[in-house]
Amino acid sequence: MNVAIIGSGGREHALALKIKQSPTLENLYIIPGNPGTSLCGDNVELDITNYTSIYKFCKEKNIFFVVIGPEAPLVDGLADYLRNKNINVFGPSAKAARIESQKSFAKKMMIDNNVPTADYKEYTSDQYEKAKNYLVQSKYPLVMKADGLAAGKGVLICDNKLDGIKNLDDLFLKNKFGEAGNKIIIEEFLIGEEVSIFAITDGENFVCLPSAQDHKKIGENDTGLNTGGMGAYSPAPIITDTILREIESTIIKPIIYAMRESGNNFIGCLYAGLILTNNAIKVIEFNCRFGDPETQVVLQLLDGDFLRLLYSASIGKIEKDSVKYNGGCSLCVVASSKGYPENYEKGFEINGLNSITDPNVIIYHAGTKSVGNKIVSNGGRVLGITAYSNKINFKLAKEQVYKNLEKINFDGMYFRRDIAQKILKK
Ligand code: AMP
Ligand code: GLY
């Protein structure tokens, strides 16, 4: 089978590396890919917003199956476009992708189907006074969220009334997130440990991959601004088999069923961002795609034929036994550009990539680019240094990651030194 992957981040590098291992793969193309994916297949310089050119390329190369990585093309309808042209796609329709792109849609889906989530209110920008009154009489902290996609920045924690009103003004009066902030959710602040669960589904049946924990904040000890994710590990020790069964029966199954019943059949990776509070497991958010950097760790823990899993899901006949957990653990630390998640410079030469020889260590490329025979930084999150251990030994995986990170450098390279610290302390 000839396969194309859409995207160019660390997640797509991980998807490419795993799909490459499949015995049924003939040719792999990554559109547009990065220097890391070029070692797994052919990178193709195409604009991913130009659907006609993607389709033409698929026809030319006899590509039968497309895996879409990022949320933007899914939300925009690339999966619908290609399916209408009889290409099999792993990734939801634009309608189903609203589970990520419209928080109010996701909330309603949860409430209507008794899926546990934070209590909330919803306001549109013409209800400014009403929203303000609510903020004045509420208890804090509270969480305010732009309804639409806001490049991972649309969640604002409000510590007190003043904070709440300032954030409301930013969203409704100053249009901080443009149209994405024309509607907002104000929800209860939940306390607990966060976990990411990926359910691969054909719209009806599903299989959950090993759990993972992300590190969203830029600073050590979870301080500072939110990022796309600065590191991850898998499996999350807090997710026992019993808890996973509960997540499947109270969250994943009812949502997949409700999406199907409401005409929003979801085919792809349903990413549940969960929080384990003192008395319940609640959903913080759903995403319509694999997480980044969680994918980099989760896929290392799968034996079997991952391409077969995704392909069978895409045609509505998921073969759940295509993969199984291999009993190991994995840990990833993201090396980012100085200044990320705010302003940063790009174009710095990355040194030391060839000095990594440990077979259990993989350097996933995210924001990188080839310039002549050099590789330079080309984004906020630049690399994901990942180590695998065939037993649950996070201490070993962590040592391997940090030891190898020392061999790599570029101007302004930043990384957190405390990834997985919390579980190692326990
Ligand atoms: P999201 O963009 O929805 O993933 O939110 C980003 C981060 O904000 C989450 O990973 C949480 O750390 C935090 N967050 C979102 N919603 C809540 C909530 N209701 N209570 C506490 N923290 C939250
Ligand atoms: N790592 C968080 C996300 O992919 O949304």
Side-chain angles (χ1 to χ4, degrees), residues 214 216 228-229 271 285 287 289-294:
D214 188 11
K216 287 223 165 90
Y271 166 144
E285 61 167 351
N287 292 319
R289 42 136 186 116
F290 287 99
D292 187 345
E294 295 98 314

Side-chain angles (χ1 to χ4, degrees), residues 111-176:
I111 300 296
D112 288 353
N113 294 284
N114 295 318
V115 170
T117 186
D119 288 338
Y120 78 109
K121 298 269 184 224
E122 181 182 310
Y123 298 97
T124 45
S125 53
D126 56 352
Q127 295 176 309
Y128 174 81
E129 285 303 328
K130 205 171 160 194
K132 192 170 169 181
N133 285 341
Y134 177 73
L135 290 171
V136 168
Q137 48 89 33
S138 288
K139 284 211 183 88
Y140 286 81
L142 279 176
V143 185
M144 192 179 293
K145 300 184 176 182
D147 190 47
L149 287 182
K153 294 180 181 164
V155 174
L156 307 166
I157 310 288
C158 314
D159 289 324
N160 52 49
K161 212 183 294 180
L162 274 179
D163 233 15
I165 294 170
K166 182 192 171 294
N167 288 332
L168 182 71
D169 288 355
D170 281 349
L171 282 150
F172 278 176
L173 305 181
K174 296 186 189 151
N175 280 324
K176 183 167 175 177

Side-chain angles (χ1 to χ4, degrees), residues 379-401:
R381 291 189 292 170
V382 179
L383 300 166
I385 292 80
T386 310
Y388 164 75
S389 153
N390 62 5
K391 296 204 177 60
I392 302 271
N393 188 340
F394 284 109
K395 185 167 176 281
L396 176 68
K398 185 173 178 182
E399 279 166 11
Q400 280 178 311
V401 166

Side-chain angles (χ1 to χ4, degrees), residues 15-214:
L15 289 168
L17 201 56
K18 201 71 196 169
I19 287 174
K20 189 182 155 222
Q21 293 167 5
S22 169
T24 52
L25 179 77
E26 285 170 73
N27 295 296
L28 179 61
Y29 301 94
I30 307 93
I31 309 174
N34 64 36
T37 64
S38 72
L39 305 174
C40 313
D42 292 341
N43 283 352
V44 185
E45 272 288 327
L46 283 178
D47 172 4
I48 64 166
T49 62
N50 186 340
Y51 293 179
T52 332
S53 71
I54 292 179
Y55 173 64
K56 260 173 78 185
F57 181 77
C58 289
K59 284 313 277 180
E60 196 183 300
K61 298 290 183 188
N62 207 8
I63 293 167
F64 188 50
F65 181 44
V66 176
V67 178
I68 303 178
E71 64 276 18
L74 290 166
V75 167
D76 199 45
L78 178 57
D80 308 77
Y81 178 88
L82 293 173
R83 276 196 193 105
N84 281 336
K85 302 229 177 247
N86 291 321
I87 291 179
N88 296 302
V89 182
F90 183 82
S93 66
K95 251 178 110 183
R98 288 181 299 160
I99 196 109
E100 173 165 0
S101 66
Q102 272 180 32
K103 293 208 189 294
S104 53
F105 172 81
K107 278 295 207 187
K108 183 162 172 7
M109 215 32 120
M110 288 187 260
I111 300 296
D112 288 353
N113 294 284
N114 295 318
V115 170
T117 186
D119 288 338
Y120 78 109
K121 298 269 184 224
E122 181 182 310
Y123 298 97
T124 45
S125 53
D126 56 352
Q127 295 176 309
Y128 174 81
E129 285 303 328
K130 205 171 160 194
K132 192 170 169 181
N133 285 341
Y134 177 73
L135 290 171
V136 168
Q137 48 89 33
S138 288
K139 284 211 183 88
Y140 286 81
L142 279 176
V143 185
M144 192 179 293
K145 300 184 176 182
D147 190 47
L149 287 182
K153 294 180 181 164
V155 174
L156 307 166
I157 310 288
C158 314
D159 289 324
N160 52 49
K161 212 183 294 180
L162 274 179
D163 233 15
I165 294 170
K166 182 192 171 294
N167 288 332
L168 182 71
D169 288 355
D170 281 349
L171 282 150
F172 278 176
L173 305 181
K174 296 186 189 151
N175 280 324
K176 183 167 175 177
F177 298 121
E179 257 182 48
N182 282 351
K183 196 190 247 186
I184 57 167
I185 297 289
I186 302 178
E187 71 178 23
E188 167 197 13
F189 181 82
L190 300 171
I191 297 172
E193 236 178 276
E194 290 183 45
V195 188
S196 309
I197 299 285
F198 300 162
I200 307 300
T201 176
D202 61 3
E204 188 173 0
N205 295 306
F206 66 91
V207 61
C208 286
L209 303 185
S211 57
Q213 284 188 285
D214 188 11

Side-chain angles (χ1 to χ4, degrees), residues 322-344:
S322 307
V323 297
K324 73 172 201 307
Y325 170 50
N326 63 21
C329 79
S330 176
L331 189 146
C332 172
V333 174
V334 170
S336 68
S337 300
K338 182 179 161 197
Y340 174 76
E342 296 188 294
N343 298 332
Y344 55 83

